[in-house]
Amino acid sequence: MNIAVCIKRVPLSPGRWTLTADGTAIDTSGSAMGWTLSPHEECAVEAAVQLAEGGGTVTAISLGTPESAEQIRDVMAVGVDRGLLLETDGAEWDPQATAGAILDAIRNDDTAFDMVILGTESADTGDYQVGVRIAHALGWPIVTNVKGLSVSDGVARCERVAGSEREVYEVALPAVISVKDGLNIPRYPSVPGRIKARKKPIDTSTPAHPGQRLEKKSLALPPQEVGTAEVIGSGPDAAPKVVEILKEIGVLT
Amino acid sequence: MILVYVDHDRGVLDELSLQAVSAAVALGQPVETVLIGANATTAAPRLGEFGVTNAHIAIDPRLTDYAPQAAGRAVAELVTSLSPVAVLAVGSPRGNEVLAHVGAILDLPFAADCTGISLGSGSFDVTRNRWAGNVIEEAVVHASTLIASTAPHAFTADPVIGSTPATVHEFTPTLTDADVAVRIIDRTGGGGGGGVGLAEAKVVVSGGRGVGGDGFGPLEELAELLGGAVGCSRVVTSAGWRPHAEQVGQTGTKVAPDLYIACGISGATQHIAGCKNAKTMIAINTDPEATIMSYADYAIVGDVSTVLPAIVDAVRAAKS
């Protein structure tokens, strides 16, 4: 089985973000700022690597700056075989443009993919749609929000969580699967894995930006709530006050 | 006119979807809704209470349960025939998924998780969540029709005084076998909680690293006493202490209960993104400087392993 897995380089959350002076981007100039993948995508990579262990290849596709090669190397260290870096100049690509670039990469590749696995939404822009757009363009089915995945006889069985239940879907391959954090426990890279990753191939191309239809104008930080908590006690002695509060807000009658 | 996709689960209206209806009503346009499947017919007239004039129901014998692509196709067909100025849904997993299909089918942009919407002509201004609401984006959507989801709990569902039941209009969308291929074929009980679902629980008792792998007993007891659900932070699920279905946060479930009790949770942004909409939050932590304390309404400084059993006893005594 040949699988494409889509990943995106995003800054590591520092607790509270800082914006650039013009308010159009997150300030990533700080020396402590690190980069990572969205948690959903770590699970997407793990799922792809596990599925390909029975025979097959995993190709990581990333649209991003040249530095995104770092994240491709990271996923190669846990078993991804090759990378396609769709290089940008750092400008934003909206979800339609992103899906289009990934779609072209899939269509132009020599590999006939059986599955595309990605995160349901990226941690940064949270658009919830790139996978769906890719699926429509390929004419493949898609299951989103997947938290359980197994494949047998060319059929992917997917589970997603709804309330206290798990919904079950089955789709014939080829298919697009967009997953959520919690699907699996992603493995850590080993030292030999890291060494091997250095020799794996990354093909770079430079897609043309089709223009933004969802166009960012500015960013802002939500107002920070500071120290409003009323300390109602320390240790077990606070219990009677908790009961009072529960009665006050109607949780306990 | 604004068209709102209203979700339902086997005929039971999705309460979160009513928030999107109210967001649409507030924009001052007539509001019509679209629901999928014959089992929505009995639930639909109630939408009138929230200001909906017409409720369109997509009927097809294959639409017996949730089928996202078929839903997207049916909504897209209505968009073409009714030409609404905007199509909204709540930004739930299903709402976002259906609108993503609509956007893909009609080749229109889709703005997810909006906290503010202004109508325009040829372009629309939206305010939307990035980083699960830890960063707010002002954006312009360049399109003839706006497709947008409302961030859960960003708008309240408000009944409209003097309203009348919505008029139901059934229609049969043109669906291919491929459209209905992705649908729920089975359900398995319980994502781990077994009792009240986390997303809809009125009380959530949530544990973090400070609870420890063996310390969740009192949390379960308190949740049961208060008719609530147990939640946890990402650290806890990563350590394998609790099932992933219980994770509250950016990558887990976003909750908005009447009461959120955060036990031994430090308050990472990823976690706050999932619980900041709680009406009241009580934090129990040994560290009075923990980030969670600045989001909580009430704080108890102390060890969860001694504080929580005392609360369980006090609540039990108060109930008897």
Side-chain angles (χ1 to χ4, degrees), chain B residues 217-229:
Chain B
L219 278 76
E220 288 175 353
E221 265 182 273
L222 186 59
E224 200 185 327
L225 277 171
L226 299 174

Side-chain angles (χ1 to χ4, degrees), chain A residues 9 62-72 85-90 202 204 206:
Chain A
R9 173 183 167 91
S62 190
L63 174 78
T65 58
E67 290 77 19
S68 300
E70 192 188 319
Q71 276 60 49
I72 295 178
L85 173 55
L86 317 180
E87 217 173 89
T88 72
D89 58 2
I202 298 179
T204 302
T206 311

Side-chain angles (χ1 to χ4, degrees), chain A residues 13 15 92 124-125 129 133 136 144 160 164 166-168 181 213 215 217-218 220 229-230 232-235, chain B residues 94 97 101 107-108 110 128 130-131 136 138 140 142 185-186 188 190-191 234 251 269 293 297 299 301:
Chain A
S13 169
E92 290 219 344
D124 55 350
T125 53
Q129 59 190 280
R133 290 186 187 276
H136 273 270
T144 70
R160 52 196 252 181
S164 57
R166 289 174 87 88
E167 302 169 342
V168 181
D181 184 30
R213 297 181 71 189
E215 186 190 358
K217 287 297 180 187
S218 63
E230 174 193 338
I232 56 171
S234 52
Chain B
R94 286 186 180 184
E97 176 176 42
H101 278 286
D107 192 27
L108 286 171
F110 159 44
R128 60 181 299 273
R130 286 194 175 201
W131 294 98
I136 309 296
E138 298 292 340
V140 178
H142 300 280
I185 57 158
D186 194 10
T188 57
R234 186 155 187 261
T251 61
T269 42
M293 298 301 204
D297 301 288
V301 180

Side-chain angles (χ1 to χ4, degrees), chain B residues 14-276:
Chain B
D14 168 44
E15 297 293 322
L16 283 180
S17 289
L18 299 175
Q19 297 171 2
V21 170
S22 291
V25 169
L27 289 169
Q29 290 264 333
V31 175
E32 305 191 6
T33 53
V34 49
L35 298 92
I36 310 299
N39 54 5
T41 309
T42 50
R46 187 190 149 211
L47 291 166
E49 291 170 31
F50 294 86
V52 173
T53 54
N54 295 307
H56 303 270
I57 300 183
I59 305 284
D60 183 299
R62 295 168 293 182
L63 296 174
T64 52
D65 205 337
Y66 180 65
Q69 183 171 322
R73 189 75 65 189
V75 176
E77 198 176 295
L78 271 191
V79 172
T80 306
S81 61
L82 302 176
S83 305
V85 64
V87 186
L88 304 186
V90 73
S92 63
R94 286 186 180 184
N96 279 332
E97 176 176 42
V98 171
L99 291 190
H101 278 286
V102 175
I105 291 164
L106 298 175
D107 192 27
L108 286 171
F110 159 44
D113 251 356
C114 295
T115 57
I117 293 168
S118 340
L119 298 179
S121 154
S123 74
F124 303 84
D125 293 333
V126 297
T127 307
R128 60 181 299 273
N129 286 337
R130 286 194 175 201
W131 294 98
N134 289 311
V135 176
I136 309 296
E137 174 187 8
E138 298 292 340
V140 178
V141 182
H142 300 280
S144 50
T145 307
L146 173 68
I147 301 177
S149 69
T150 59
H153 311 294
F155 300 89
T156 54
D158 300 317
V160 173
I161 294 160
S163 56
T164 52
T167 308
V168 171
H169 302 269
E170 297 188 349
F171 73 106
T172 303
T174 306
L175 301 176
T176 64
D177 287 342
D179 290 331
V180 292
V182 182
R183 64 179 194 278
I184 297 174
I185 57 158
D186 194 10
R187 285 183 167 82
T188 57
V196 181
L198 189 57
E200 58 266 27
K202 296 287 184 202
V203 176
V204 176
V205 186
S206 204
R209 191 196 298 268
V211 173
D214 303 321
F216 273 82
L219 278 76
E220 288 175 353
E221 265 182 273
L222 186 59
E224 200 185 327
L225 277 171
L226 299 174
V230 173
C232 64
S233 69
R234 186 155 187 261
V235 177
V236 168
T237 54
S238 297
W241 296 346
R242 300 295 294 186
H244 272 282
E246 291 182 4
Q247 187 193 320
V248 172
Q250 178 172 353
T251 61
T253 303
K254 296 180 187 81
V255 299
D258 292 341
L259 174 65
Y260 191 82
I261 306 181
C263 307
I265 291 174
S266 61
T269 42
Q270 128 87 250
H271 187 78
I272 298 295
C275 66
K276 65 182 175 191

